[in-house]
Amino acid sequence: MSLSMNERAAALVDAMVADAEALRIEVRTLESGARLVDCGAHARGGLHAGLGFAAACMGGLGRLDPVPVTVGERTWPGIGVATDDPAAACLAAQYAGWKLEHDDFFAMASGPGRALARAEDLFEKLAWREQADRAVLCLETRQDPPAAIVEKVAQRCGVGPSAVTFLIAPTASVCGSVQISARVVETALHKLHELGVDPARVRHGWGCCPIAPVAKKDPTAIGRTNDAVLYGGTVHLWLEGADEEVADLAQRLPSAASDAFGTPFGELLEAADWNFYDIDPMLFSPAAATLTSTESGRAHHGGGLAPEVLGRSFTS
């Protein structure tokens, strides 16, 4: 299979479309000509649709498996994530960094189509160069992207509208819970980037995260799915660097390094009047992290799971 993340993702989506009935997803062609794969907005979707959504979102450069995740005395259904190209899979593809808005439509786009568009400053620091005849984007929304958005995406990605595929699922859906928990390694990579670490120095990434129970409404789901990572997520990264630096980063990486740690994310959002930018950016990372220095082979650990906070979030 091609190393183009969009071509790999498109092939994964083609397989999902071929098995749409079993995956409980709906596929349709928009008036603009783009392909839309509904994994949980109007379609029921499910766990397997969530795994497919997340795999496509990582540009086919990650492996995702359902796993049990124990946090305190509770074992939750969870997801395990592994990648040997974290900078590309997590930041050039999976990170939700491209703002798409038109009239009343708004969504943060993730997926490998971002690597074609290169519409974000982040790509100035990423070595990945993408070429593809198709573009795949993943949107956390209940709305179909309007024609103006499709046109913008197609032009920026350098493909025709009919070569664009959108996967959609709202936060309050099984697929939404799965694909957000699958971002556990991505949140760690982005936090390291915020700490001034070149993402290319991370050779391998592994993580596991509980899958949040689906809330009735999206605002509650936003809180639960973030808490899954912040208070139940674990990562292990292999990082180029000497022990002193790696040990320091292992303490600064976990969400516990933030003063906001310990409060369910939904409560933080409500206190911030739903403005994400008013929340300490150092909070957005997994609860526990182990960093192994590729120079010495020594592992350094920081943070820890917070079962009481997670339980409070998941059962509220």
Side-chain angles (χ1 to χ4, degrees):
M1 184 181 287
S2 168
L3 267 182
S4 162
M5 292 191 294
N6 282 277
E7 297 295 349
R8 295 172 70 89
L12 291 171
V13 178
D14 290 345
M16 292 175 66
V17 169
D19 204 21
E21 184 176 356
L23 292 174
R24 297 179 173 85
I25 62 177
E26 295 178 2
V27 184
R28 58 185 180 275
T29 301
L30 302 178
E31 290 185 6
S32 58
R35 178 173 65 171
L36 185 130
V37 182
D38 179 351
C39 296
H42 302 289
R44 183 197 298 184
L47 297 168
H48 288 285
L51 290 170
F53 187 113
C57 197
M58 295 184 76
L61 294 181
R63 169 154 181 163
L64 301 109
D65 297 288
V67 297
V69 176
T70 299
V71 182
E73 297 180 353
R74 295 288 302 273
T75 298
W76 301 95
I79 187 166
V81 183
T83 176
D84 288 320
D85 199 338
C90 297
L91 295 186
Q94 193 179 24
Y95 177 62
W98 189 10
K99 184 186 296 185
L100 298 177
E101 54 185 337
H102 178 76
D103 293 338
D104 63 346
F105 178 86
F106 174 84
M108 296 299 294
S110 56
R114 293 175 45 251
L116 282 173
R118 301 185 71 84
E120 307 152 47
D121 293 341
L122 174 63
F123 283 93
E124 295 179 5
K125 301 180 180 179
L126 296 176
W128 188 271
R129 293 294 182 271
E130 179 78 359
Q131 291 184 335
D133 295 325
R134 297 194 283 178
V136 177
L137 285 177
C138 303
L139 308 179
E140 191 177 328
T141 181
R142 295 181 181 275
Q143 297 177 267
D144 292 0
I149 291 294
V150 177
E151 182 180 0
K152 175 182 177 178
V153 167
Q155 289 182 348
R156 191 76 197 220
C157 292
V159 300
S162 62
V164 178
T165 292
F166 294 97
L167 292 92
I168 68 168
T171 315
S173 66
V174 175
C175 177
S177 286
V178 171
Q179 70 94 6
I180 293 171
S181 290
R183 297 174 184 270
V184 63
V185 177
E186 175 248 290
T187 58
L189 262 288
H190 191 261
K191 175 74 170 283
L192 284 178
H193 171 66
E194 291 294 310
L195 293 173
V197 177
D198 182 354
R201 292 173 54 196
V202 184
R203 292 187 185 175
H204 318 281
W206 174 91
C208 65
C209 184
I211 296 170
V214 179
K216 287 187 176 181
K217 297 183 179 180
D218 288 323
T220 303
I222 290 172
R224 286 186 181 179
T225 53
N226 275 276
D227 288 335
V229 177
L230 302 180
Y231 301 115
T234 299
V235 294
H236 193 134
L237 307 177
W238 286 257
L239 178 66
E240 294 177 357
D243 280 313
E244 183 177 359
E245 180 195 16
V246 174
D248 175 63
L249 288 171
Q251 297 303 313
R252 297 169 65 195
L253 175 60
S255 51
S258 168
D259 291 338
F261 181 85
T263 302
F265 190 75
E267 295 181 18
L268 292 173
L269 265 180
E270 188 174 359
D273 197 25
W274 292 89
N275 186 347
F276 278 81
Y277 297 102
D278 284 346
I279 297 175
D280 180 9
M282 294 296 101
L283 178 67
F284 295 96
S285 49
T290 299
L291 305 184
T292 293
S293 164
T294 59
E295 292 185 10
S296 71
R298 296 188 180 93
H300 306 274
H301 181 77
L305 305 183
E308 292 184 1
V309 184
L310 192 72
R312 178 178 165 188
S313 172
F314 281 11
T315 60
S316 63

